[in-house]
Amino acid sequence: MPSFVRDEIGEKALSRANRAAGFDVDLIEDRNFFIPQRALLNFIDEIVKAAGEPNLGLLLAPSMNVAAYGSFGRFIFEAETLGQAIERSVAGLSYHSTYDRLSTTIRGDEVLYSYAFALAGSPGYVAVASAAAGELLSVAKAFLPTSWRPLRVELDIPKPTNTSVFEDVFQCPVMFNAPAVGVAFERHRLSASTKRTSPAALTIADLARERLGGAPQNLIQVTVEQIRTQLMAGNIMIDDIARSMDTSVRTLQRELGRANTDFRSLTNTVRTQRAIELLQHTGLSITSISGDLGYSSPTGFTRAFRKATGCGPREFRDKNSDSAAG
């Protein structure tokens, strides 16, 4: 998405969209991070405004592909049949998203493969809905002939004045004001076999191990993920994190207090965890690590690390680094 915005709309638009999201999306796009839905919607809404293109999602839909979603995409596309791929997507979504839901409904000879977005209807969602339909279609197209067309696409957005542009993109009838985004197709298509030639290698257990238990499921986990995201992007701001979580700073602080913690403690924990990773698995200097983690000086980093772990960073590295183990 960032490269699309930069190339098609411009660097200034990307900067505004990053500010709206609360962090630099470009810096974390190829990393294993969970992005809050509110941050995603803010990012896309800003792009729509900058482009002056209310149907931005339609422009993106043909290029959307679940295969691009790392191990989650691989897990789906290594299925033997379309039906199994859909089952895998439903089972594996909890390792990819916290609040979204995938489902299938079978009525007679028809299957409806649906995606429910937790913040459907929010500003920016119209583009998300169209893009999501493109992702659902990408699963079916991976198993079906190139001549295949869906029976219909369903979108949970208001019916626009011009519906023909949607039908032109999806090449089928489009129904609006639906309960969720959906793709309808013939039931017998579920048995369509895979087109791949390489053997399957990824299981849901592999997905679980890589995702460390799945997407964040509670306030603490979600907050920690956003602190980690902003740490990697270079600047931790509680205002940005609260906005990305669709709440206020005051409410976030209050809820963290009810969970017997606070923002500073969580930030310190995330910084310490990241410091341990860098000390164990890289050759970065203490000064570089200190700067990467946002400390004003190596001395401040050393003091904080010693308080958290009981030893200084140099001592920890000598005992625990990859090179020491080898």
Side-chain angles (χ1 to χ4, degrees):
M1 177 69 80
S3 59
F4 170 84
V5 177
R6 183 181 292 107
D7 296 341
E8 301 297 328
I9 306 175
E11 193 70 44
K12 290 184 178 179
L14 179 59
S15 297
R16 289 196 299 269
N18 282 332
R19 287 196 297 272
F23 51 84
D24 191 334
V25 176
D26 206 4
L27 285 176
I28 67 167
E29 189 179 33
D30 61 346
R31 302 188 185 189
N32 193 23
F33 287 107
F34 292 99
I35 299 176
Q37 291 175 323
R38 173 54 60 190
L40 173 65
L41 286 172
N42 290 345
F43 182 84
I44 292 177
D45 191 42
E46 187 61 40
I47 293 170
V48 170
K49 293 175 183 176
E53 177 50 76
N55 292 327
L56 178 67
L58 283 179
L59 299 179
L60 296 173
S63 62
M64 299 303 293
N65 196 327
V66 175
Y69 291 165
S71 56
F72 175 66
R74 279 184 53 213
F75 175 63
I76 293 171
F77 287 113
E78 286 186 356
E80 294 297 326
T81 66
L82 173 57
Q84 187 184 73
I86 291 175
E87 290 176 357
R88 284 182 168 214
S89 71
V90 173
L93 187 64
S94 62
Y95 298 100
H96 181 72
S97 177
T98 301
Y99 303 114
D100 299 346
R101 294 293 178 265
L102 282 166
S103 63
T104 54
T105 304
I106 299 178
R107 293 192 180 96
D109 295 330
E110 179 182 293
V111 175
L112 182 64
Y113 180 32
S114 301
Y115 170 72
F117 187 77
L119 295 183
S122 301
Y125 178 67
V126 170
V128 170
S130 297
E135 290 169 348
L136 295 181
L137 285 169
S138 74
V139 176
K141 289 177 178 178
F143 292 82
L144 299 175
T146 55
S147 60
W148 171 81
R149 299 293 181 270
L151 296 175
R152 69 181 179 282
V153 163
E154 298 186 1
L155 298 175
D156 53 347
I157 60 175
K159 185 176 181 179
T161 302
N162 184 3
T163 61
S164 62
V165 292
F166 288 82
E167 294 175 348
D168 289 343
V169 169
F170 295 120
Q171 299 182 20
C172 68
V174 178
M175 186 180 89
F176 298 91
N177 296 304
V181 175
V183 172
F185 57 90
E186 305 89 342
R187 184 175 183 174
H188 71 86
R189 301 287 189 182
L190 290 172
S191 61
S193 299
T194 180
K195 298 177 183 177
R196 63 178 170 77
T197 57
S198 58
L202 196 68
T203 69
I204 196 166
D206 294 323
L207 192 61
R209 279 190 290 271
E210 180 172 319
R211 290 294 191 171
L212 299 177
Q217 298 298 318
N218 57 49
L219 176 73
I220 301 299
Q221 292 175 358
V222 171
T223 304
V224 166
E225 277 296 322
Q226 298 329 303
I227 293 172
R228 189 167 75 94
T229 298
Q230 289 209 350
L231 178 63
M232 299 299 287
N235 190 27
I236 302 173
M237 300 289 292
I238 189 172
D239 305 67
D240 290 338
I241 288 177
R243 186 172 65 253
S244 76
M245 295 171 62
D246 199 24
T247 190
S248 67
V249 170
R250 187 172 183 177
T251 298
L252 176 59
Q253 290 173 326
R254 182 172 61 249
E255 293 302 315
L256 291 176
R258 288 176 179 170
N260 297 315
T261 188
D262 56 66
F263 188 78
R264 175 175 291 183
S265 297
L266 291 179
T267 299
N268 289 339
T269 298
V270 173
R271 277 199 171 110
T272 300
Q273 290 172 343
R274 183 58 178 165
I276 288 172
E277 293 171 5
L278 294 174
L279 289 168
Q280 283 184 316
H281 306 302
T282 77
L284 291 173
S285 68
I286 303 300
T287 299
S288 294
I289 293 175
S290 169
D292 287 346
L293 297 180
Y295 289 95
S296 58
S297 69
T299 301
F301 166 55
T302 298
R303 184 166 54 247
F305 190 84
R306 186 182 299 279
K307 181 178 180 180
T309 66
C311 65
R314 295 186 189 281
E315 181 184 354
F316 179 89
R317 171 173 272 172
D318 289 343
K319 294 179 179 178
N320 299 281
S321 69
D322 290 340
S323 57

